[in-house]
Amino acid sequence: MTTGVRRRMGVEERRQQLIGVALELFSRRSPDEVSIDEIASAAGISRPLVYHYFPGKLSLYEAALQRASDDLAARFVEPREGPLGARLLRVMGRFFDFVDEHGPGFSALMRGGPAVGSSTTNALIDGVRQAAYVQILSHLDVREPPARLELVIRSWISLAESTALIWLDGRRIPRAELETQLVHDFAALAAVSAAYDEEMGALLRRILKDEPADGPFADLVGRLIALAS
């Protein structure tokens, strides 16, 4: 007969376990509602032991946000293959996967949660936005973006954030529709900018040249034509 022996974790392994447990709890409820006692219980350790690895709830929360922000930033990584519209649609699918899986955690990440206004939280959020911005530039094959293009991309990233936060409050619009709508929003923002700037016009023409007739950008054109007729 053998008896189970609990394996003693190393310091970093235990820290990572606690971060994972905290992130799981924060994904289901607002971090403000999750106590250190709950985290300790879910990890199978005592409350004092949690404080041995993290000075307080805020430091554990920030570590969980770091992992969540790294995961979220990775959702924007997409091979530069195929038309842009299809690539952006896949990115939005992975983005909403994250939002769907980590509802309260996503809200906390974007709004700051218990650490609202802290330099650490602001840096994490800005890091996600910058990673998304760099990825979109890569998809467009642009190294030195003109001012109007930067405005389009950063405005679109902010729109995706706010759309996801509103969607979480009741999920009243089908998720798939929002994913497609956000891809259409990118095209619309680019088109409006192109109407004012020839450099943006040339970029938009290059993008549309490679778009298939059944792609999301062509779908938007068809919907606008139907609306105007």
Side-chain angles (χ1 to χ4, degrees):
M1 177 178 177
T2 59
T3 58
V5 177
R6 181 176 296 178
R7 182 174 63 85
R8 185 182 183 87
M9 291 186 182
V11 173
E12 185 56 28
E13 186 179 9
R14 177 66 78 184
R15 280 178 55 85
Q16 292 305 315
Q17 183 218 17
L18 286 170
I19 291 170
V21 167
L23 186 57
E24 175 64 24
L25 291 172
F26 295 157
S27 295
R28 289 189 263 114
R29 288 159 50 212
S30 168
D32 291 312
E33 301 172 355
V34 178
S35 68
I36 287 292
D37 286 331
E38 288 180 85
I39 295 170
S41 177
I45 62 176
S46 65
R47 175 189 175 96
L49 196 53
V50 175
Y51 286 110
H52 175 74
Y53 294 99
F54 292 93
K57 180 178 172 181
L58 179 59
S59 63
L60 178 53
Y61 171 74
E62 288 179 344
L65 276 190
Q66 178 68 68
R67 182 180 293 184
S69 64
D70 289 345
D71 183 4
L72 182 54
R75 305 291 175 117
F76 285 88
V77 177
E78 171 73 22
R80 285 171 50 187
E81 300 172 357
L84 178 65
R87 279 182 267 159
L88 290 181
L89 192 57
R90 289 193 292 271
V91 166
M92 285 296 96
R94 289 195 299 273
F95 173 72
F96 271 90
D97 280 344
F98 182 94
V99 173
D100 217 356
E101 295 162 6
H102 304 285
F106 175 80
S107 296
L109 175 62
M110 292 297 110
R111 292 174 172 147
V116 63
S118 79
S119 58
T120 299
T121 303
N122 290 340
L124 289 173
I125 296 171
D126 288 343
V128 172
R129 291 169 178 156
Q130 183 62 20
Y133 174 72
V134 169
Q135 283 298 316
I136 300 305
L137 280 182
S138 175
H139 289 306
L140 295 172
D141 196 22
V142 173
R143 290 181 175 79
E144 297 182 8
R148 289 186 188 274
L149 178 57
E150 180 173 359
L151 179 61
V152 164
I153 298 174
R154 295 198 184 279
S155 296
W156 182 69
I157 291 169
S158 295
L159 179 60
E161 289 176 16
S162 58
T163 297
L165 288 169
I166 294 170
W167 177 74
L168 281 171
D169 186 18
R171 308 185 186 219
R172 292 171 291 172
I173 300 175
R175 171 184 150 176
E177 288 184 17
L178 283 185
E179 292 171 9
T180 301
Q181 181 178 315
L182 280 166
V183 175
H184 289 172
D185 287 335
F186 181 86
L189 287 168
V192 170
S193 185
Y196 290 87
D197 184 85
E198 177 51 35
E199 190 173 8
M200 283 296 299
L203 176 62
L204 185 62
R205 286 190 292 272
R206 175 165 63 82
I207 292 171
L208 295 178
K209 177 174 64 69
D210 298 324
E211 289 295 314
D214 60 348
F217 288 171
D219 176 50
L220 172 61
V221 172
R223 288 174 182 270
L224 292 175
I225 292 173
L227 186 63
S229 61

